[in-house]
Amino acid sequence: MKKSNICPCGSDKELKDCCEPIIQGIREAKTAEQLMRSRYTAFTIANNAYLLKSWAKATRPETINAEDGSIQWLKLQIEECEKGNAKDETGFVTFTASFLSSGHLCSLHEKSSFIKEDALWYYLDGETESRTQKVGRNAQCPCGSGKKYKKCCCQ
């Protein structure tokens, strides 16, 4: 299986068997965690329409721009899930998303809140904390290629 076919959400499943059917509206997210993973994947592919569609009406912004090209998403790590199962009406997913932006390794740590509306999961809001550190030119690239940062695709 090619690395490019692996879903960016970190499930180790193929994209077509993981988040893609949720993003395309072929099937619904059954849990808050599935919705969280599909939203992360939508950020990696700059699918603004899905990001807005999966956002709760009460807190949804009018627009979102995930496609400016300044961010390279690297990894999603789910740390904790509270509630958010098929029978629940609310849920929380705590995660850290790592990304590169302008030569800096960044991480976004968030405890996201999810709600069900009309039997469908939606992102409500989140408590966030971000960190940034400069990647040294001779440091190993955070993309996982094993190359030095200065000679990698991330540069």
Side-chain angles (χ1 to χ4, degrees):
M1 181 172 2
K2 292 180 184 175
K3 186 172 176 77
S4 63
N5 292 334
I6 299 295
C7 191
C9 80
S11 67
D12 291 328
K13 297 178 184 174
E14 287 192 46
L15 180 61
K16 69 179 180 66
D17 298 325
C18 192
C19 292
E20 189 175 66
I22 296 170
I23 293 169
Q24 292 178 347
I26 295 169
R27 73 169 193 256
E28 301 297 333
K30 295 178 182 169
T31 66
E33 181 180 352
Q34 282 182 345
L35 185 66
M36 174 61 240
R37 289 181 180 278
S38 69
R39 287 178 54 80
Y40 172 83
T41 298
F43 272 104
T44 70
I45 60 174
N47 188 324
N48 296 327
Y50 177 75
L51 291 168
L52 287 170
K53 179 184 170 201
S54 61
W55 207 311
K57 293 175 188 171
T59 57
R60 181 185 304 149
E62 286 189 33
T63 61
I64 188 169
N65 185 8
E67 58 188 69
D68 68 1
S70 66
I71 293 177
Q72 180 181 355
W73 295 98
L74 301 173
K75 181 180 177 183
L76 174 67
Q77 181 179 352
I78 303 292
E79 296 164 11
E80 183 180 17
C81 297
E82 300 171 44
K83 298 185 181 180
N85 293 312
K87 294 180 181 179
D88 295 320
E89 295 297 317
T90 62
F92 302 91
V93 178
T94 303
F95 69 92
T96 299
S98 302
F99 59 96
L100 284 172
S101 178
S102 303
H104 290 85
L105 177 60
C106 307
S107 65
L108 173 68
H109 180 79
E110 181 171 322
K111 182 174 183 177
S112 297
S113 301
F114 296 87
I115 60 167
K116 262 192 191 171
E117 294 177 349
D118 300 322
L120 300 176
W121 282 108
Y122 292 92
Y123 170 77
L124 184 61
D125 59 19
E127 299 170 15
T128 63
E129 176 185 333
S130 60
R131 293 189 181 121
T132 303
Q133 68 185 52
K134 180 88 171 132
V135 179
R137 290 178 42 78
N138 289 315
Q140 194 172 46
C141 189
C143 77
S145 68
K147 297 178 183 178
K148 288 185 178 181
Y149 178 66
K150 68 182 177 184
K151 293 187 175 186
C152 189
C153 59
C154 295
Q155 189 61 338

